Amino acid sequence: MVIVGVVIALSMAAICALVLYQSRLDAMERATETSRNLALLAERDIERNFELYALSLQAVVDGVNDPEVMAVPNHVRDIALFDRAATASYLGSILVLDAEGNIVIDAANKAPRQGNFADREYFKVHQDNPNAGLYVGHPYASRLRDGSLSIPLSRRISRSDGSFAGVVLLAVQLDYFHQLFAALSLGSHGSVALMRQDGTMIMRQPYDEKVIGRNIRNASTFKHFLTTTEGSFSDTSVIDGVQRLYYYKNLPNLPLIIMVAEAHSDIYAAWRHRALTIAAVMSVLATAFIGLSFAFGVQLRRRMRAESELAMLARTDGLTGLHNRRTLGEILDQEWRRARRNRSVFSLLFVDIDRFKVYNDTYGHQAGDDALTAVAKCIGENIRRPVDSAARYGGEEFIVVLPDTSPEGAASIAENIRTAISDLAIEHVGSEHGHVTASIGAAVWTPERDMDVSAVIRAADEALYSAKATGRNKVELSTSHLA
């Protein structure tokens, strides 16, 4: 009754737990896919616009380097240089700076505004590096637009001899990213962010101006972003302490990383409500099953446990945990009969610890018991088949029964056992080898004659004494004519 009740209760609980666990995995998988799709949408929008910005910058560089363009009147020149790029949404300024950082051409004004930007990071990058290419800089507060937050896209202008001639700057207002991310639905605690690959935050939703320009390169979340081009993981935000599922992608053509993160609390909200309801119902049913079963079966369970313990004690050696000699007799009789019936090979190993009496006298009986236990473990670990068995024969002697095992197989298993015992490196000053070792005698018999199993044991015992007589710590295969 106890078993039936517990099995039913546990089966019901296990099924519900499995369903809930799978449902939880599905919720996480759906959240990952949603985050990936949102990141892909934002990535495509950003890359498309930045590609247009990059082409506009290159057109200005090419135009500035073209004497014919620069020779025409200013209003014609500006049309050739900027086309309609200056009127694009979220563009702050398009400027051409000379080698000293002064504004020489201003897309927004016929007469260039006054300003020097030689101190800006993007200017210094192009001044020092002719091969910087398209440079996406750090967020900054615009001096020309009352501190409006922007990020610079810039290219170097070089003279015909390769020397530095200035910079073309295109400022992208951060409102572009703010509006883009605000349109993405990520739950009440979700987050989406764009950052440079050096860890500088460009935009984050929920929006907080204090976060703009903050460097998070030492955060555990950011370190994940640099391991692969894209991926997902769970972590706790260094900015607001919320645990989220992060999906990130390093943009292939820009030095930017986009991150979409959905809070675990939002991902599992519906699942948690469903799980609590199901768990409550299952708890009542499981408790009822188990309680009823326990009431009817407590005495039976105690009796079965006692009988099981007695049966185990009667069949095993209390020190080593291997079969005892009585059980060995049953196993030998059973396997011998099977071998005769099937006319199959029957192998047996006789294992004896070398100079064990000296070890006991030197280190004491407790150490001797520990050594016996360790040796028994080595024997057990090197017989893998269910039909193989090992038993303590008496004292420091063990017998291993190996049905359907060839002479080569028996010798291999014996060698593995011998090596494992030797590798224990248990100190034994009374041994010629300096540590505990074992000698093993092996016998293999094919029951083609009507002979007793004791003949195999005697043959293995003779092989064992031969191993001891010729140096110990070795395996000796019987050469008796048993077959």
Side-chain angles (χ1 to χ4, degrees):
M1 289 295 295
V2 174
I3 293 175
V4 171
V6 171
V7 168
I8 292 176
L10 291 179
S11 298
M12 294 170 63
I15 292 172
C16 288
L18 181 61
V19 171
L20 289 174
Y21 177 71
Q22 187 60 51
S23 176
R24 182 182 176 90
L25 293 179
D26 290 342
M28 181 63 75
E29 186 176 348
R30 285 194 300 271
T32 302
E33 187 64 22
T34 299
S35 297
R36 193 186 75 84
N37 290 336
L38 292 176
L40 183 60
L41 288 173
E43 175 200 355
R44 287 178 177 175
D45 195 284
I46 293 170
E47 286 199 328
R48 181 174 62 252
N49 283 293
F50 273 53
E51 183 180 5
L52 294 175
Y53 298 153
L55 291 173
S56 296
L57 282 174
Q58 188 60 53
V60 175
V61 172
D62 293 341
V64 169
N65 287 328
D66 188 337
E68 294 183 0
V69 173
M70 299 304 292
V72 301
N74 289 352
H75 71 281
V76 178
R77 177 202 65 192
D78 290 350
I79 293 175
L81 291 178
F82 306 118
D83 193 15
R84 298 183 180 275
T87 63
S89 300
Y90 303 111
L91 281 188
S93 301
I94 304 179
L95 305 174
V96 177
L97 309 179
D98 63 15
E100 285 70 43
N102 298 308
I103 302 175
V104 293
I105 302 177
D106 185 348
N109 296 276
K110 293 181 180 179
R113 288 169 285 183
Q114 297 299 310
N116 184 280
F117 300 97
D119 61 328
R120 290 295 196 186
E121 170 210 20
Y122 57 81
F123 186 86
K124 295 177 180 179
V125 167
H126 290 296
Q127 189 178 44
D128 297 336
N129 184 5
N131 300 314
L134 175 67
Y135 182 71
V136 181
H138 293 79
Y140 68 95
S142 174
R143 297 172 187 169
L144 301 177
R145 290 176 287 107
D146 299 324
S148 174
L149 293 176
S150 305
I151 60 168
L153 275 67
S154 56
R155 282 190 178 276
R156 174 188 169 108
I157 303 173
S158 300
R159 298 186 180 92
S160 58
D161 61 358
S163 61
F164 178 64
V167 170
V168 179
L169 167 68
L170 185 152
V172 181
Q173 297 177 18
L174 293 191
D175 279 345
Y176 160 60
F177 304 107
H178 188 189
Q179 297 302 321
L180 175 63
F181 292 168
L184 303 179
S185 177
L186 286 168
S188 57
H189 302 94
S191 175
V192 58
L194 182 71
M195 65 203 74
R196 284 170 51 91
Q197 290 179 342
D198 65 357
T200 302
M201 190 69 69
I202 295 175
M203 178 54 64
R204 183 179 184 272
Q205 185 72 23
Y207 180 73
D208 183 355
E209 187 172 323
K210 296 178 181 178
V211 174
I212 306 303
R214 179 176 173 180
N215 195 293
I216 61 168
R217 63 176 175 272
N218 294 323
S220 60
T221 51
F222 183 77
K223 292 176 181 177
H224 281 285
F225 300 159
L226 302 180
T227 56
T228 55
T229 56
E230 64 177 307
S232 62
F233 63 93
S234 290
D235 203 345
T236 301
S237 171
V238 71
I239 294 177
D240 56 17
V242 176
Q243 187 179 23
R244 294 185 173 93
L245 168 68
Y246 289 85
Y247 178 86
Y248 66 92
K249 184 171 184 180
N250 288 262
L251 274 60
N253 301 315
L254 294 169
L256 302 175
I257 301 172
I258 189 166
M259 177 275 294
V260 177
E262 191 170 352
H264 281 204
S265 57
D266 294 334
I267 295 173
Y268 297 129
W271 175 86
R272 190 177 293 108
H273 176 74
R274 182 168 59 251
L276 289 174
T277 302
I278 295 175
V281 174
M282 282 306 307
S283 296
V284 173
L285 293 176
T287 301
F289 267 107
I290 294 175
L292 182 63
S293 301
F294 183 80
F296 281 99
V298 61
Q299 294 300 327
L300 178 61
R301 184 167 59 250
R302 290 176 180 174
R303 179 177 177 180
M304 291 175 64
R305 185 185 301 116
E307 290 178 351
S308 176
E309 291 175 354
L310 288 173
M312 180 63 69
L313 290 173
R315 295 186 61 83
T316 60
D317 176 64
L319 176 62
T320 63
L322 299 179
H323 295 304
N324 57 23
R325 188 161 181 171
R326 175 184 173 183
T327 306
L328 173 64
E330 297 174 359
I331 293 172
L332 284 172
D333 182 66
Q334 175 184 335
E335 294 300 333
W336 176 257
R337 292 175 182 274
R338 191 178 68 85
R340 292 186 63 185
R341 183 173 61 253
N342 298 336
R343 304 188 63 77
S344 59
V345 179
F346 181 87
S347 298
L348 186 141
L349 307 181
F350 216 127
V351 183
D352 184 84
I353 302 177
D354 296 325
R355 303 193 185 281
F356 187 71
K357 184 178 184 305
V358 177
Y359 183 86
N360 257 345
D361 293 342
T362 303
Y363 297 96
H365 289 285
Q366 181 58 53
D369 289 348
D370 293 342
L372 285 170
T373 302
V375 169
K377 183 178 179 182
C378 290
I379 295 173
E381 289 176 346
N382 283 279
I383 54 172
R384 304 297 177 86
R385 298 184 308 170
V387 296
D388 298 337
S389 56
R392 186 180 179 190
Y393 192 66
E396 70 274 21
E397 297 176 329
F398 302 87
I399 283 183
V400 180
V401 181
L402 303 171
D404 298 321
T405 303
S406 65
E408 294 78 9
S412 176
I413 294 173
E415 182 61 26
N416 290 340
I417 294 173
R418 185 201 65 78
T419 301
I421 295 171
S422 180
D423 288 346
L424 292 173
I426 301 173
E427 180 183 342
H428 186 357
V429 297
S431 169
E432 56 268 62
H433 299 286
H435 57 271
V436 171
T437 60
S439 298
I440 303 176
V444 183
W445 189 78
T446 303
E448 296 176 353
R449 297 184 182 180
D450 187 14
M451 299 180 68
D452 196 276
V453 69
S454 59
V456 185
I457 299 175
R458 285 194 301 271
D461 191 34
E462 291 172 2
L464 169 65
Y465 279 99
S466 176
K468 287 184 172 293
T470 55
R472 294 184 173 83
N473 190 26
K474 62 187 299 186
V475 174
E476 190 75 31
L477 183 64
S478 173
T479 57
S480 299
H481 298 289
L482 298 174

